[in-house]
Amino acid sequence: MSEIRVKEGESIDSALKRFKRSCAKAGVIAEVRKREHYESPSVKRRKKSEAARKNRNKRFY
């Protein structure tokens, strides 16, 4: 759970910006997107394999 303390004299906009940044660093948004819908194990393996292939090709260029 991401939590920030609003500093005295700090605007809500800057506090919200810090909160969003801390959520992004903690990986909360990525985790939510990953869990939005169920993926079968075979689909997970296929995506993992495709990502590895893509990263491998990216390294050679």
Side-chain angles (χ1 to χ4, degrees):
M1 180 77 192
S2 293
E3 183 178 311
I4 62 162
R5 303 243 184 251
V6 179
K7 298 172 185 171
E8 192 166 332
E10 184 180 23
S11 70
I12 298 295
D13 291 333
S14 63
L16 185 61
K17 190 174 183 180
R18 283 194 308 128
F19 177 72
K20 286 181 180 179
R21 195 176 318 128
S22 78
C23 282
K25 277 186 180 179
V28 174
I29 296 171
E31 184 71 22
V32 167
R33 286 192 179 134
K34 190 173 89 172
R35 293 175 183 259
E36 266 182 337
H37 55 85
Y38 177 76
E39 285 184 346
S40 65
S42 62
V43 172
K44 285 183 185 178
R45 277 193 304 272
R46 186 172 56 226
K47 282 188 176 183
K48 188 175 179 182
S49 172
E50 288 172 0
R53 189 177 321 120
K54 192 175 187 180
N55 287 336
R56 190 173 51 242
N57 287 338
K58 200 179 285 187
R59 261 191 306 186
F60 288 123
Y61 294 113

